[in-house]
Amino acid sequence: MTGSLFKGNFWSSDILSTIGYDTIIQHLNNGRKNCKEFEDFLKERASIEEKYGKDLLNLSRKKPCGQSETNTLKRALEVFKQQVDNVAQSHIQLAQTLREEARKMEEFREKQKLQRKKTELIMDAVHKQKSLQFKKTMDAKKNYEQKCRDKDEAEQAVHRSANLVNPKQQEKLFVKLATSKTAVEDSDKAYMLHVNTLDKVREEWQSEHIKACEVFETQECERINFFRNALWLHLNQLSQQCVTSDDMYEEVRKSLEMCSIEKDIEYFVNQRKTGQTPPAPIMYENFYCPQKNAAPPGKATGPNLPRRGPLPVPKSLPDDPDYSLLDNYSLIYQ
């Protein structure tokens, strides 16, 4: 806290000027506006975090993700879905935290506004008093100067009338001169009184200006410190959100480390196996001379009966012209 820079650097040589005070007020207004902008930023960021958290929650709870997996990979996916749910909840919680920080910023702004209002009311009053007294002093000065000019003219008129014979005319001039001298004395006293009053008003204004500078500088130091700390805290909250999310994802990684390809394959085989005997080879089967041990297509070998009975004994003798043999095949001519 410096406490002395404002009161030593915001003056003007013009007694009616308020440029120093106005400059400080403008700076404080800008600072208040900056706090409001950060407050709005926090609120909007909170809305984004809340929407993201709710969207992530819906994704985690409604969207299938490897639902037919089994054994160790299934357990890892269950941990994954649960941790995504937890991350979503943490973002929703972060949104509430950010809204709370925005509320604190708003309370700080309003508190400084009320504190400033008291000082501003005092400064507005002394500024008006100073301007009013300055105007009265300048009016008194003009009146005093005019009375002096009137006295000078009366003296010159008396000097010019020194050779006049008419005593009544000279008497009138002397009366006018005496009256003008009295008017000068009265206006001089009034002018001096206003000057003294103005000086007291100026000293009062100067004292209040110094007090206002000290109050405003203290407020500005507090505002910068509060704003800085609020921003620092905001970044810490965002960093913590990242750490929290990573911790949750680490649980998924640990679960994935427990996955076993061999166990998952073995589990699937044990749960869904259909048999250990493959089909027998498909053997060639002669339509007329089926082999005794030929296996039916696609079936394992085993006891099998001939599909057809033995060839019938021909009624005709081999030398019968209607009967002949060709390479062990019987041909009957019709």
Side-chain angles (χ1 to χ4, degrees):
M1 300 288 182
T2 54
S4 61
L5 291 178
F6 278 18
K7 68 180 182 182
N9 292 280
F10 291 96
W11 298 98
S12 172
S13 57
D14 182 0
I15 191 172
L16 292 180
S17 175
T18 59
I19 185 171
Y21 175 80
D22 294 341
T23 300
I24 294 175
I25 290 298
Q26 182 61 49
H27 180 71
L28 297 181
N29 288 338
N30 289 339
R32 186 167 183 270
K33 179 183 176 183
N34 293 337
C35 288
K36 180 65 168 63
E37 289 174 351
F38 183 63
E39 174 190 328
D40 293 340
F41 180 92
L42 289 177
K43 290 179 180 178
E44 190 162 344
R45 178 63 187 266
S47 298
I48 293 172
E49 291 289 341
E50 184 175 53
K51 183 179 184 303
Y52 174 71
K54 289 181 177 179
D55 289 346
L56 197 58
L57 206 59
N58 289 332
L59 176 66
S60 172
R61 296 179 178 180
K62 297 181 180 180
K63 188 70 175 178
C65 182
Q67 61 181 349
S68 65
E69 287 294 343
T70 59
N71 208 36
T72 61
L73 185 55
K74 178 181 180 180
R75 289 194 291 271
L77 283 169
E78 289 172 349
V79 174
F80 168 68
K81 292 292 288 291
Q82 181 58 52
Q83 294 305 326
V84 170
D85 190 289
N86 292 341
V87 169
Q89 295 285 5
S90 69
H91 279 279
I92 294 174
Q93 180 60 45
L94 176 61
Q96 296 175 352
T97 301
L98 295 180
R99 288 193 177 97
E100 178 62 21
E101 294 306 315
R103 185 188 62 79
K104 291 179 182 179
M105 178 63 77
E106 182 180 9
E107 289 179 351
F108 176 78
R109 284 192 308 104
E110 291 303 315
K111 177 183 175 182
Q112 283 210 325
K113 179 182 178 182
L114 292 176
Q115 292 174 341
R116 274 181 52 188
K117 194 65 178 176
K118 297 176 183 178
T119 303
E120 288 175 350
L121 289 174
I122 293 174
M123 290 303 296
D124 289 345
V126 295
H127 283 154
K128 289 179 181 179
Q129 186 180 12
K130 182 184 64 169
S131 297
L132 181 61
Q133 186 57 43
F134 179 80
K135 183 178 183 304
K136 290 180 178 179
T137 302
M138 292 301 100
D139 289 343
K141 180 182 179 182
K142 288 181 181 178
N143 183 59
Y144 164 70
E145 290 175 345
Q146 183 61 47
K147 296 303 179 183
C148 288
R149 283 192 288 270
D150 292 343
K151 182 182 77 69
D152 291 344
E153 289 178 2
E155 288 179 344
Q156 291 175 5
V158 168
H159 289 310
R160 286 196 300 269
S161 66
N163 296 325
L164 292 179
V165 181
N166 191 338
K168 289 184 178 181
Q169 189 75 19
Q170 286 185 335
E171 185 178 355
K172 275 174 103 174
L173 292 176
F174 278 111
V175 170
K176 186 176 181 181
L177 177 60
T179 302
S180 65
K181 287 182 179 180
T182 302
V184 167
E185 291 175 358
D186 291 341
S187 64
D188 180 61
K189 290 179 181 179
Y191 176 39
M192 287 292 294
L193 181 62
H194 282 296
V195 168
N196 292 334
T197 302
L198 177 61
D199 193 55
K200 291 179 181 179
V201 170
R202 181 192 61 79
E203 289 179 353
E204 181 183 358
W205 161 77
Q206 185 171 317
S207 176
E208 292 299 333
H209 180 80
I210 292 173
K211 291 178 184 178
C213 287
E214 291 174 344
V215 170
F216 292 156
E217 185 169 350
T218 299
Q219 273 203 334
E220 181 63 1
C221 291
E222 291 175 352
R223 186 195 68 82
I224 293 173
N225 184 60
F226 187 88
F227 199 161
R228 172 187 173 277
N229 291 342
L231 185 56
W232 191 291
L233 178 60
H234 177 60
L235 295 175
N236 285 347
Q237 290 166 343
L238 298 183
S239 295
Q240 183 59 49
Q241 175 62 38
C242 295
V243 172
T244 300
S245 296
D246 190 63
D247 288 343
M248 294 173 180
Y249 294 140
E250 180 63 22
E251 294 300 316
V252 182
R253 285 189 285 267
K254 289 178 181 178
S255 179
L256 289 171
E257 289 175 351
M258 301 301 293
C259 284
S260 170
I261 298 175
E262 293 79 6
K263 289 182 179 179
D264 283 6
I265 295 296
E266 183 180 349
Y267 180 85
F268 168 72
V269 170
N270 291 334
Q271 293 292 318
R272 305 299 295 274
K273 62 185 177 181
T274 60
Q276 296 180 335
T277 304
I282 306 300
M283 305 300 292
Y284 169 77
E285 180 183 358
N286 187 290
F287 183 81
Y288 295 100
C289 299
Q291 299 180 5
K292 292 183 178 181
N293 296 327
K299 292 187 179 180
T301 58
N304 189 23
L305 297 177
R307 187 172 58 141
R308 301 178 54 163
L311 291 174
V313 177
K315 296 179 180 180
S316 301
L317 296 177
D319 55 354
D320 192 326
D322 293 332
Y323 179 89
S324 66
L325 296 175
L326 178 63
D327 295 332
N328 295 324
Y329 284 93
S330 297
L331 300 176
I332 299 177
Y333 298 94
Q334 299 291 333

